[in-house]
Amino acid sequence: MPIIINTTSMIPIYEQIVEDIKIMIKDGELKDGDPLPSIRILANELKISALTVKKAYDTLEEKGLAKTVHGKGTYISILDQAKIDEENRKELEDDIVSLLKKAERYHVDKEDIKMLFELMMEERS
Amino acid sequence: MITLKDVTKHYNDFTLSLSMDIKEGAISAFVGTNGAGKTTTFKAILDLIKIDSGSIKIFDKDHDKLDRSDKEKIGVVLADATFSKELKINDVIIILETMYHDFDGTFFRQKASDLNLPLDKKLKEFSTGMLVRFKVLCAISHHPKLLLLDEPTAGLDVLARTEILDLLRDHMLKYPDATIIISSHIASDLEAIADDIYLIDDGNIVLHEDLDKVIDDYAIIKVDEDGYRDIDKTYILKIFKDNGVYHLLTDQRNFYIENYPDVVIEKGDIDKLLTMYAKGE
Amino acid sequence: MKGLFIKDILTLKTNTIYLISMLVLAVLLSIESSMIFTYFFVGLLGSSFATSSFSYDQSERCLMYLLCLPTNRRQYVKEKYLFIITVTIGFMATILLISSLIQNTMIDINELYLLLAIVMMIMIYIAFVIPIKIAFPPEKAIIVHLTITAIMTIPLIASNGLYADLSQADAIKAIVDPMGLICISISAFICLFVSYLISAKIMANKNL
């Protein structure tokens, strides 16, 4: 299960791990109930600190994608689809807020933003 | 596992003064310039030097009252000291077997062979790299609960260093409650293995931080005179001016990324942190 | 302590050539000189050889590392006394055996008394040397060591000169009588004991 991280990226490593695992879940590589490698083993493989892996696993748990059983390890546990959707929605919200903040800094007004948004949406569909 | 409380040691031109609490299962790194106090701290913990005040506890016992079985749970690499160089590895194996009940001769010999260490040559014929590998082997072959490693990768090329780090990682895998304290000048080694770092400068701990925070949340911001004037300094920890450019250390990278998207912001790492704390204000 | 003992044996073993050549020299000397001279010589030789274990520990900062192993400062000092005394007596006993083998004579009781007396004197010598070796770094220690050795060799040379005329037996009788032997043995034990206490104290306070 090769998780690949970019050590020079600005994206925190734990986030990269979370993203990789999310993709694996989406692709079906990881199914509900599958065990994730132990924290130490993954830390050793990726040559990073165990705390970083723990942070990644904790984040997955917060997002409702995994569950840690004390003493046994962490398992994929996609219980709460609603919770996952909520998390995803929140991520998008944060992204939109960042976008709006940027717009404010560049002094681009709201109408222009809306127009730009619709333009982009059209281009993609 | 190890607690240092208000430990002080006075020398003519230097005073060590620090406290720390290292838990089981942690891999903590000591970082600092030469003479900052890393080796002095190791020596204090190992009771090689007498501290002037404060207390050091290892395994919940006073560090100078450890009995033989306590010491058998400790493995040490010192920067410039090991067995007499007149001895051969085969001799050392006999000595270690006698001194440590849990010495694993099979493991030692196997790893010595993996690391290309000749069992039959005197240590004085070893290269620096071979000697360091030998020292690390001596420290881990009795599978200790506590490893104190002062510059265990000094003088090694990148491949050899990786071998040593792998040895240490294997150790932690087999013995998850084991604790490692490691000091090194090679930041990339520490970044590949440590959980938290202690930045030691002039005998004091100037920073104790989780490694992933150092890498994810710390950053160096570079601005010119104008940029410096305008930037929000609430989260700036250290400032260093070099050739008209201000280097600013922060532990709130995201704040600056979001609010100053055009400014040069570099990821934090151990070397950068060390430099900022050593040179900046 | 066992580990430290083995370490010293293994380290000094690397010097076997030196050791054997010295022993051969001693044997040769024993044929020509008085036994008194020979025993003193071998005693000084053995103890010097054994105390050289200190320089192995100190010259490369091995001592620092040794104290990180499952041992402590007290054990280190104890082991040194044990090692040096054992090696010295071993040397002297070996010479006694070899010379009596060569000369094809039985070891007589007087000779044994003599050996014992000289052993005790060498013990006193060791009692002075060890604390110095522990207290001072190798360079300084060597100077003091040589000075003491020089002082000790005065009776050595004197004995060779003075008693050259007398026969062995008379010479021995002149030196050793049971009371003298007991006195010197007690002094030796006291010296060694005090020396150990001093060494232990120096070691306990040493900053490495």
Side-chain angles (χ1 to χ4, degrees):
Chain A
M1 177 197 186
I3 295 181
I4 301 178
I5 53 168
N6 180 344
T7 50
T8 58
S9 160
M10 273 299 202
I11 303 174
I13 295 179
Y14 82 94
E15 271 185 35
Q16 294 180 39
I17 297 175
V18 169
E19 283 312 307
D20 273 11
I21 293 181
K22 272 177 157 183
I23 293 172
M24 285 189 214
I25 295 175
K26 206 163 73 88
D27 291 347
E29 226 186 288
L30 277 177
K31 299 190 214 23
D32 199 30
D34 282 349
L36 290 171
S38 88
I39 290 179
R40 272 278 169 225
I41 291 184
L42 190 57
N44 281 5
E45 257 179 50
L46 298 176
K47 314 267 192 259
I48 55 176
S49 147
L51 291 181
T52 309
V53 177
K54 183 167 190 305
K55 206 163 161 184
Y57 284 9
D58 287 345
T59 311
L60 284 169
E61 198 159 345
E62 272 168 42
K63 292 192 188 283
L65 291 169
K67 199 124 198 180
T68 306
V69 178
H70 193 67
K72 282 192 147 182
T74 311
Y75 298 81
I76 300 294
S77 168
I78 313 171
L79 291 175
D80 207 343
Q81 189 56 42
K83 184 152 188 226
I84 295 172
D85 291 340
E86 192 190 315
E87 279 291 322
N88 288 346
R89 183 149 281 136
K90 183 156 188 313
E91 262 184 56
L92 286 172
E93 260 183 50
D94 289 340
D95 284 346
I96 294 177
V97 169
S98 294
L99 179 70
L100 290 174
K101 276 192 186 161
K102 198 169 193 180
E104 278 166 36
R105 274 197 305 273
Y106 290 170
H107 305 296
V108 178
D109 68 51
K110 295 210 178 95
E111 287 310 312
D112 285 338
I113 295 283
K114 272 200 195 155
M115 246 180 18
L116 207 57
F117 198 77
E118 274 158 26
L119 195 63
M120 290 298 125
M121 266 173 60
E122 259 193 63
E123 272 190 23
R124 280 184 70 83
S125 54
Chain B
M1 207 181 262
I2 295 191
T3 314
L4 275 73
K5 206 159 167 235
D6 301 322
V7 169
T8 58
K9 172 74 184 171
H10 299 280
Y11 289 99
N12 277 337
D13 49 358
F14 170 81
T15 300
L16 188 78
S17 171
L18 39 77
S19 302
M20 56 171 77
D21 184 14
I22 300 180
K23 306 256 189 314
E24 269 187 22
I27 304 182
S28 296
F30 284 178
V31 186
T33 53
N34 282 331
K38 308 187 294 293
T39 304
T40 312
T41 309
F42 273 112
K43 285 192 184 177
I45 293 174
L46 290 162
D47 198 27
L48 296 172
I49 57 174
K50 300 288 174 195
I51 51 178
D52 294 330
S53 73
S55 78
I56 303 178
K57 287 210 193 287
I58 305 178
F59 307 140
D60 279 327
K61 288 188 189 176
D62 284 330
H63 75 298
D64 51 357
K65 298 208 174 48
L66 297 179
D67 61 31
R68 205 205 143 106
S69 65
D70 295 319
K71 282 196 144 185
E72 290 200 33
K73 294 192 232 158
I74 302 177
V76 178
V77 168
L78 292 177
D80 51 8
T82 182
F83 287 101
S84 164
K85 304 251 179 28
E86 290 293 326
L87 295 170
K88 307 178 188 161
I89 293 194
N90 278 331
D91 296 330
V92 172
I93 292 179
I94 299 175
I95 298 173
L96 289 174
E97 261 169 357
T98 323
M99 296 193 94
Y100 289 101
H101 283 116
D102 292 330
F103 180 71
D104 191 343
T106 324
F107 174 83
F108 191 100
R109 288 191 183 85
Q110 176 61 50
K111 292 297 173 189
S113 148
D114 291 342
L115 297 170
N116 289 324
L117 298 175
L119 300 180
D120 224 4
K121 277 218 183 99
K122 286 196 186 187
L123 292 179
K124 66 181 176 196
E125 292 173 55
F126 280 28
S127 68
T128 327
M130 289 161 78
L131 213 59
V132 166
R133 278 179 260 174
F134 162 74
K135 285 198 275 184
V136 172
L137 258 193
C138 289
I140 64 174
S141 297
H142 52 282
H143 309 301
K145 281 207 81 181
L146 172 62
L147 277 168
L148 295 164
L149 312 169
D150 195 7
E151 305 277 352
T153 57
L156 297 180
D157 62 47
V158 64
L159 293 176
R161 277 189 269 130
T162 317
E163 279 174 334
I164 297 292
L165 292 175
D166 284 340
L167 269 177
L168 296 176
R169 287 195 197 98
D170 284 341
H171 181 84
M172 290 306 281
L173 261 178
K174 278 189 269 183
Y175 309 99
D177 289 336
T179 307
I180 300 183
I181 303 180
I182 178 172
S183 85
S184 175
H185 282 134
I186 306 168
S188 56
D189 283 351
L190 299 179
E191 280 156 18
I193 194 172
D195 294 330
D196 59 323
I197 65 166
Y198 288 87
L199 213 84
I200 301 178
D201 189 41
D202 205 23
N204 295 304
I205 297 176
V206 293
L207 178 69
H208 172 212
E209 189 61 274
D210 287 342
L211 184 62
D212 57 353
K213 288 217 185 74
V214 170
I215 300 194
D216 294 340
D217 298 338
Y218 280 67
I220 305 286
I221 304 166
K222 294 182 182 167
V223 284
D224 57 16
E225 203 67 58
D226 294 332
Y228 179 65
R229 209 185 39 232
D230 298 335
I231 201 163
D232 183 343
K233 297 180 194 54
T234 326
Y235 304 110
I236 300 295
L237 302 167
K238 289 280 170 189
I239 302 168
F240 170 58
K241 190 171 176 193
D242 186 30
N243 286 335
V245 175
Y246 284 87
H247 299 249
L248 310 170
L249 176 69
T250 177
D251 62 350
Q252 299 296 329
R253 188 168 84 205
N254 285 328
F255 172 76
Y256 289 95
I257 288 182
E258 280 177 18
N259 294 316
Y260 301 93
D262 300 323
V263 161
V264 171
I265 300 180
E266 289 179 352
K267 267 179 81 146
D269 64 37
I270 291 180
D271 279 337
K272 293 199 184 111
L273 240 70
L274 183 54
T275 315
M276 288 304 288
Y277 271 89
K279 288 183 165 176
E281 12 233 281
Chain C
M1 198 160 69
K2 208 166 112 191
L4 292 174
F5 202 88
I6 291 178
K7 172 213 54 136
D8 279 336
I9 292 179
L10 290 171
T11 320
L12 257 41
K13 209 173 63 145
T14 64
N15 261 339
T16 354
I17 299 174
Y18 168 82
L19 180 66
I20 291 179
S21 48
M22 284 294 135
L23 273 173
V24 168
L25 181 64
V27 170
L28 290 173
L29 273 172
S30 76
I31 298 174
E32 282 307 302
S33 331
S34 75
M35 283 316 284
I36 304 168
F37 177 82
T38 312
Y39 286 137
F40 260 115
F41 179 80
V42 172
L44 289 176
L45 186 69
S47 59
S48 295
F49 184 67
T51 47
S52 73
S53 65
F54 275 114
S55 57
Y56 285 105
D57 292 340
Q58 288 167 335
S59 61
E60 298 158 39
R61 317 178 78 181
C62 300
L63 180 56
M64 218 164 57
Y65 181 69
L66 289 174
L67 290 177
C68 297
L69 302 176
T71 181
N72 58 43
R73 292 162 191 247
R74 215 133 242 223
Q75 298 256 310
Y76 177 79
V77 175
K78 272 191 206 161
E79 183 269 336
K80 282 292 187 238
Y81 276 87
L82 200 67
F83 181 73
I84 294 171
I85 292 173
T86 311
V87 169
T88 307
I89 294 182
F91 264 57
M92 296 171 83
T94 311
I95 285 301
L96 172 67
L97 281 163
I98 294 179
S99 70
S100 62
L101 272 168
I102 290 179
Q103 287 166 5
N104 246 332
T105 51
M106 289 295 289
I107 304 167
D108 72 52
I109 198 80
N110 282 329
E111 188 121 337
L112 216 54
Y113 267 174
L114 180 66
L115 181 60
L116 240 53
I118 297 181
V119 163
M120 291 304 152
M121 284 188 244
I122 298 285
M123 289 299 125
I124 297 177
Y125 165 73
I126 289 175
F128 277 95
V129 170
I130 294 185
I132 290 170
K133 286 288 196 182
I134 291 182
F136 298 106
E139 316 81 47
K140 285 204 198 119
I142 286 252
I143 297 172
V144 186
H145 186 183
L146 284 174
T147 316
I148 296 191
T149 311
I151 297 174
M152 283 290 286
T153 50
I154 294 173
L156 193 72
I157 298 166
S159 74
N160 219 21
L162 267 172
Y163 299 108
D165 305 327
L166 300 174
S167 74
Q168 279 266 11
D170 292 337
I172 291 168
K173 276 210 206 89
I175 298 169
V176 180
D177 72 77
M179 255 333 271
L181 187 60
I182 292 174
C183 284
I184 205 169
S185 301
I186 294 178
S187 324
F189 278 114
I190 294 177
C191 282
L192 279 175
F193 185 67
V194 171
S195 166
Y196 170 74
L197 290 175
I198 296 176
S199 299
K201 191 91 206 281
I202 298 175
M203 199 58 186
N205 292 329
K206 222 176 193 211
N207 270 318
L208 292 159

